[in-house]
Amino acid sequence: MAMTTEPRSDRDVTAIDQSTGRVGDVVFAGLARSSGLLIMLALAGVAVFLVVQGSGALGNTGDAVYGKDSIWGYVWPLLFGTLLASVIAMIIAAPLAIGVALIISHYAPRPVAKTLGWLIDLLAAIPSVVYGLWGINFLALNLVPAYDWLQRNAGWIPFFEGPVPNSGRTMLTAGIVLAVMALPIITAICREVFAQTPKMHQEAALALGATRWEMIRMTVFPYARSGMISAVLLGLGRALGETMAVALVLAPSLLVSFNLITAEQSSSTIAANIALNFGNASGAKIDTLIFTGLVLFIITFAVNFLGRAIAVRGVAKG
Amino acid sequence: MAKSIDVSDLNIYYGDFLAVEGVSMTIKARSVTAFIGPSGCGKSTFLRSLNRMHEVIPGARVEGKVMVDGQSLYEPSVDPVAVRRQIGMVFQRPNPFPTMSIYDNVLSGKKLNSKRMKKSESDDLVEKSLRGANLWTEVKDRLGKPGMGLSGGQQQRLCIARAIAVEPQVLLMDEPCSALDPISTSAIEDLIHELKSDYTIVIVTHNMQQAARVSDETGFFNLKATGEPGQLVEFNSTKQMFTNPDNEATEAYISGRFG
């Protein structure tokens, strides 16, 4: 410290010394830092566990991978089923969530909007087992006529080839259940972003003679675009990892098939497959299942990361 | 295309709160009318009731009559969207659309109204509007750049260009210079003088010199008393307002002896 020390009174020196020593600050900073660190450690712990346990399954063949040629032959149909169910869910949930969010933020009178927002948030509080039971016992059965109609009228599209099972437990049913489950998170994020659209831009559009919908297209959507994308990606993250509902709704099978409204030929998802098989698995089969978990971990992580990254980039731009 | 506005017994509410009470006045076509008065006395509220922008705020409503060239604005059959297409508005803070280029900003209002325009037509309209807003020479080489890249004064003139591109009958300006430096302010004031020949202009300002410089007629708004609604104290030719006002309160406000 090459500083010329000016002669100072003792009182000044102590005042400077004391200003940094607040106990509350130190405690809170330590608490915050250790909480952050703990989360990093937990995440790293999960990753390490999955890599260590799962990598043992890389060479598994035959019985250890449930009769497939290699681990990849086992993972691929599951990964495919996971992605298919989640993508169906997003195709249904995204427009619905954006519509509901718009109604809450821009259309409904305040009391209605509040109630609606509250109801949607409540959807997030329902346990996924309940969604699964609802999916099997109510939704699936009631969708059978609709599936029959689809098969008759759109059966030439490979998606709707059928045959339609009497239980209605199909890939499309799983997708719909996942859509309902992902709805709250997408709606909540979209609602926040829509409500943050600067008033002055909305008024600028209205003053030019825009209708409400034109105003939304001119100001709200451009402003909220990155927020909407990240909301959908976070919803996708939720759908990818969902276990119980899918495990209950889908009949387990290991196939790659785009046939959405049949039971025998539909793929299962990674999470549901682990839930269904882990109890009976032992030895090398456990490693195999953990490896599928690692694949899911990587995919979910990537999707969430992408969602956050897009959200952050949007903030920086706007 | 410029039109006159007749206001009679207008009461303006926010929910149950009466913000402005009993305003009657006649705003002449092809002239500049300025509203002055202290903050919170209802000038802007009144201005926004002239193109039905007031009711954008939840719970806000109006009683009384606003007639534009014999047509009542608040008839149930009148669509507020149609009113706003006839009566343009420029806001306190420049608010070009952030995601649009300068070119698209100018056309944004026109695109709402109409069928597709030919490229040459839109080019002409953009040039005409930007020239009308005294901005053309400054931006003609960067029409594709975002409107947000301009300076505050340029942005405000871009907003004026956007407003006049739809060829409204009336142009309302809510303190258009309050966020601008003196040079930009002077550019806007010059522009107001030029626009007067084509449009009916109503401007709210905190700056009394500005009112004196740009307007033909002036209205002075004030609160009746603290906690009471705002009202129109005096409405007169600008010349008379600033030299020999009828009302004592007006004179006190204008000469700086307010209270």
Side-chain angles (χ1 to χ4, degrees):
Chain A
M1 289 296 217
M3 271 171 64
T4 49
T5 41
E6 308 255 313
R8 247 182 289 175
S9 78
D10 277 5
R11 227 176 102 249
D12 282 343
V13 173
T14 49
I16 288 170
D17 283 352
Q18 279 174 355
S19 68
T20 57
R22 299 274 162 74
V23 179
D25 276 0
V26 173
V27 170
F28 185 75
L31 218 60
R33 215 168 279 145
S34 47
S35 311
L37 212 61
L38 202 67
I39 289 175
M40 299 292 284
L41 282 176
L43 191 66
V46 171
V48 168
F49 162 79
L50 286 174
V51 170
V52 169
Q53 293 273 307
S55 58
L58 274 173
N60 282 359
T61 50
D63 202 34
V65 289
Y66 296 88
K68 297 279 172 183
D69 294 339
S70 74
I71 186 77
W72 301 110
Y74 183 67
V75 170
W76 167 240
L78 289 172
L79 181 60
F80 172 84
T82 307
L83 293 176
L84 184 60
S86 305
V87 167
I88 294 171
M90 285 310 107
I91 289 171
I92 298 168
L96 202 60
I98 289 168
V100 173
L102 266 185
I103 285 174
I104 293 173
S105 68
H106 282 87
Y107 279 93
R110 211 166 292 171
V112 179
K114 251 191 165 159
T115 321
L116 192 59
W118 183 74
L119 283 175
I120 296 279
D121 288 344
L122 212 62
L123 279 182
I126 299 174
S128 58
V129 175
V130 177
Y131 275 110
L133 291 174
W134 172 72
I136 295 182
N137 290 326
F138 178 81
L139 189 67
L141 296 177
N142 284 291
L143 280 172
V144 170
Y147 290 158
D148 281 332
W149 184 89
L150 270 177
Q151 192 205 351
R152 271 200 310 280
N153 294 287
W156 49 274
I157 307 173
F159 293 142
F160 306 122
E161 219 174 272
V164 177
N166 289 332
S167 66
R169 291 167 63 183
T170 68
M171 191 49 119
L172 193 54
T173 310
I176 293 171
V177 173
L178 285 178
V180 178
M181 297 179 72
L183 199 61
I185 184 173
I186 307 180
T187 309
I189 296 174
C190 286
R191 192 173 75 192
E192 286 302 308
V193 191
F194 291 162
Q196 279 170 15
T197 313
K199 263 258 136 38
M200 64 177 195
H201 295 139
Q202 299 184 37
E203 291 196 333
L206 289 175
L208 283 171
T211 61
R212 207 180 313 206
W213 172 239
E214 286 167 337
M215 179 270 280
I216 287 167
R217 269 194 358 219
M218 281 170 87
T219 62
V220 177
F221 283 162
Y223 176 82
R225 203 182 48 199
S226 59
M228 277 153 46
I229 293 173
S230 67
V232 170
L233 286 178
L234 290 175
L236 184 60
R238 161 115 214 234
L240 285 172
E242 180 43 46
T243 310
M244 276 325 291
V246 182
L248 287 172
V249 170
L250 273 186
S253 55
L254 290 173
L255 279 163
V256 173
S257 163
F258 276 108
N259 193 338
L260 303 182
I261 56 169
T262 191
E264 278 76 42
Q265 287 189 323
S266 72
S267 336
S268 186
T269 74
I270 293 178
N273 182 64
I274 294 175
L276 289 172
N277 290 325
F278 204 80
N280 313 323
S282 61
K285 280 185 177 174
I286 290 191
D287 289 350
T288 302
L289 290 177
I290 290 177
F291 182 80
T292 64
L294 176 63
V295 172
L296 180 62
F297 179 80
I298 292 167
I299 301 267
T300 320
F301 198 81
V303 166
N304 275 297
F305 193 77
L306 198 66
R308 297 279 173 204
I310 289 175
V312 168
R313 204 190 59 185
V315 168
K317 255 198 318 192
Chain B
M1 52 188 172
K3 292 191 173 172
S4 61
I5 306 174
D6 279 293
V7 182
S8 43
D9 288 323
L10 197 70
N11 293 335
I12 309 174
Y13 295 84
Y14 290 103
D16 293 331
F17 173 70
L18 178 60
V20 179
E21 187 178 21
V23 176
S24 300
M25 68 168 70
T26 300
I27 294 165
K28 288 188 190 134
R30 288 177 216 281
S31 72
V32 179
T33 304
F35 298 148
I36 57 171
S39 293
C41 67
K43 312 177 293 286
S44 295
T45 301
F46 176 71
L47 188 78
R48 290 166 65 97
S49 71
L50 296 181
N51 69 340
R52 298 192 62 170
M53 278 300 285
H54 174 62
E55 66 202 47
V56 167
I57 297 158
R61 66 200 163 84
V62 161
E63 281 170 6
K65 256 192 173 168
V66 180
M67 309 279 281
V68 174
D69 232 28
Q71 160 90 59
S72 171
L73 292 191
Y74 283 93
E75 288 297 312
S77 61
V78 172
D79 181 0
V81 170
V83 170
R84 294 179 201 134
R85 286 183 184 176
Q86 308 276 303
I87 305 179
M89 189 160 196
V90 176
F91 293 83
Q92 192 169 350
R93 281 176 58 202
N95 55 0
F97 296 118
T99 49
M100 293 185 197
S101 65
I102 295 172
Y103 188 94
D104 290 335
N105 257 294
V106 176
L107 285 179
S108 55
K110 194 72 186 176
K111 273 184 186 156
L112 292 173
N113 296 324
S114 55
K115 8 82 212 179
R116 293 191 64 80
M117 281 196 295
K118 277 199 218 103
K119 179 85 172 88
S120 61
E121 278 179 299
S122 8
D123 287 350
D124 289 347
L125 179 66
V126 169
E127 178 170 349
K128 185 175 145 224
S129 309
L130 285 171
R131 277 190 197 283
N134 277 339
L135 191 60
W136 174 250
T137 47
E138 288 159 70
V139 301
K140 64 172 191 277
D141 298 324
R142 45 170 170 160
L143 292 174
K145 295 270 161 58
M148 294 301 275
L150 300 172
S151 75
Q154 290 172 326
Q155 284 185 24
Q156 194 62 301
R157 277 179 282 153
L158 176 59
C159 293
I160 294 175
R162 179 175 70 185
I164 60 180
V166 292
E167 300 180 335
Q169 290 153 346
V170 179
L171 201 54
L172 307 177
M173 297 184 169
D174 190 356
E175 299 182 38
C177 303
S178 66
L180 305 182
D181 66 281
I183 292 173
S184 307
T185 301
S186 144
I188 303 251
E189 286 180 11
D190 291 345
L191 177 58
I192 293 173
H193 268 297
E194 289 166 25
L195 292 174
K196 187 168 98 168
S197 52
D198 291 320
Y199 301 95
T200 304
I201 295 176
V202 187
I203 175 171
V204 166
T205 174
H206 266 297
N207 180 331
M208 280 182 278
Q209 284 77 32
Q210 182 170 66
R213 282 192 299 264
V214 301
S215 70
D216 303 303
E217 291 189 293
T218 302
F220 171 53
F221 282 81
N222 201 355
L223 296 177
K224 265 184 184 163
T226 317
E228 301 262 316
Q231 57 173 357
L232 180 64
V233 177
E234 183 171 352
F235 188 74
N236 235 325
S237 78
T238 301
K239 209 170 168 193
Q240 191 173 0
M241 285 289 266
F242 283 89
T243 51
N244 185 23
D246 294 341
N247 192 299
E248 239 174 79
T250 314
E251 191 177 3
Y253 184 75
I254 285 170
S255 60
R257 290 181 289 110
F258 184 59

